[in-house]
Amino acid sequence: MKKFAASLALLALSLCATGAFAAQPEPWQVRFQSAGTAIMDEVAWFEAYTLWFITPITLLVMGLLAWCIFRFRASANPTPSRTSHNTVIEVLWTVGPVIVLLFLAIPSFQLLTNQYTPPEEPALTIKATGVQWYWDYEYQDEENPLSFTSLMLQEDDRAAAGKEDTSEYPRLLAVDNEVVVPVDTTVRVLVTASDVIHAFAMPSYGIKTDAIPGRINETWFKAEREGIYYGQCSELCGKDHAYMPIAIRAVSQDQFQTWYAAAQDDLEGANRALMAELESDDGEKVASAAE
């Protein structure tokens, strides 16, 4: 029994080490991607909450339509009613929707307020600029600024980049340079574009902001779990709109500081060192479980 439990633990950690914490679309997925922020948890809760209203209302309307079609068909009701007013019905279909809307509006406004109100002053600011068809990123640090371009990873470049594991670096979503952020840190994102309208969307973080030329929109997130998260440009921006992914890698504070310092001089080398450290950490977890 102990061996069986150990095998299960080993399998679970092995999955974690091979990209189980990569938040991305899954085959036959009907719900949201796994949440990486508290805001996304609220979004998922609100979606489930609204279903408690949408489902019975839909069934009620369908039932009333079916009943009216059957009860008042011409063969069963050759002489149609001339009723033009019913006070009870008028009150019900006025008061009922108002009550339902109040139950939806209050949590909706609370969620909207939270989405636009960071819990604290952002410790890190990143500017994301949409370009046909890639993203430019700038870490807004006066003393040690960092900027780079993030392009969709081509299949022929996987081996050279060390990103052959498609479970962690999926086709059409993986990029050559991920945005790296520390967990448990409020990050401000300034979103704009250099040519046409794009949109910066990260489903697992619950953010989606238009990137408009000549204008800067602001959003924020606070990653709660380490891992790599994927999004895409969500505004039709031209022929390669579908090939403009967004990738954010959340790591520990120490790992972020090490990566950021190294990236000042060698971004590619810093990325490789970070990936190697993460793979080593996952390997140690799997080995510990096996013991």
Side-chain angles (χ1 to χ4, degrees):
M1 196 66 183
K2 291 183 179 179
K3 290 183 178 180
F4 179 70
S7 299
L8 287 179
L10 181 61
L11 175 61
L13 286 171
S14 297
L15 290 174
C16 293
T18 57
F21 289 120
Q24 56 183 283
E26 299 292 342
W28 299 99
Q29 187 173 25
V30 295
R31 303 301 297 273
F32 294 122
Q33 294 180 24
S34 58
T37 65
I39 288 294
M40 190 56 206
D41 282 327
E42 292 184 44
V43 172
W45 175 87
F46 184 68
E47 183 262 350
Y49 173 77
T50 57
L51 285 179
W52 286 100
F53 295 89
I54 295 172
T55 302
I57 289 173
T58 301
L59 294 175
L60 174 63
V61 172
M62 291 177 61
L64 289 174
L65 284 173
W67 181 73
C68 289
I69 292 171
F70 176 78
R71 174 64 181 80
F72 298 106
R73 68 190 189 279
S75 59
N77 191 53
T79 304
S81 171
R82 298 295 181 180
T83 302
S84 61
H85 182 77
N86 187 298
T87 302
V88 175
I89 292 178
E90 293 283 351
V91 171
L92 286 176
W93 72 29
T94 300
V95 175
V98 168
I99 295 174
V100 171
L101 288 175
L102 282 174
F103 274 96
L104 293 176
I106 293 174
S108 175
F109 291 153
Q110 291 175 337
L111 174 58
L112 191 63
T113 299
N114 293 339
Q115 287 179 313
Y116 284 93
T117 310
E120 59 196 5
E121 184 65 24
L124 178 65
T125 299
I126 301 174
K127 183 180 179 182
T129 303
V131 188
Q132 289 178 313
W133 289 271
Y134 55 87
W135 292 92
D136 282 333
Y137 297 104
E138 299 176 30
Y139 286 72
Q140 306 287 293
D141 187 329
E142 293 183 1
E143 296 182 359
N144 299 298
L146 174 65
S147 61
F148 56 84
T149 295
S150 181
L151 298 164
M152 186 184 75
L153 184 66
Q154 301 298 319
E155 294 301 300
D156 295 339
D157 297 333
R158 284 186 176 275
K163 298 179 178 180
E164 297 176 284
D165 183 0
T166 55
S167 65
E168 187 170 5
Y169 304 102
R171 178 177 175 270
L172 303 183
L173 286 178
V175 299
D176 55 354
N177 298 312
E178 295 92 6
V179 176
V180 180
V181 299
V183 295
D184 299 323
T185 301
T186 300
V187 179
R188 178 194 289 118
V189 185
L190 305 177
V191 183
T192 187
S194 65
D195 37 42
V196 300
I197 298 177
H198 302 276
F200 187 88
M202 180 59 61
S204 291
Y205 287 173
I207 59 175
K208 183 178 181 182
T209 306
D210 282 342
I212 303 174
R215 176 174 177 174
I216 294 180
N217 288 328
E218 181 177 325
T219 187
W220 68 276
F221 65 84
K222 185 176 183 179
E224 295 185 329
R225 181 163 59 85
E226 295 183 27
I228 186 167
Y229 301 84
Y230 293 101
Q232 289 178 297
C233 172
S234 296
E235 185 71 42
L236 188 60
C237 58
K239 70 180 184 68
D240 286 341
H241 161 67
Y243 309 108
M244 196 173 166
I246 301 165
I248 299 179
R249 188 191 292 275
V251 298
S252 68
Q253 287 283 349
D254 291 340
Q255 289 171 334
F256 172 75
Q257 294 296 339
T258 302
W259 172 85
Y260 194 83
Q264 301 292 318
D265 300 319
D266 182 8
L267 176 63
E268 183 177 351
N271 289 338
R272 287 185 173 278
L274 178 60
M275 291 169 57
E277 183 178 358
L278 294 173
E279 291 175 1
S280 175
D281 290 345
D282 287 336
E284 290 178 2
K285 292 177 183 178
V286 172
S288 297
E291 293 175 359

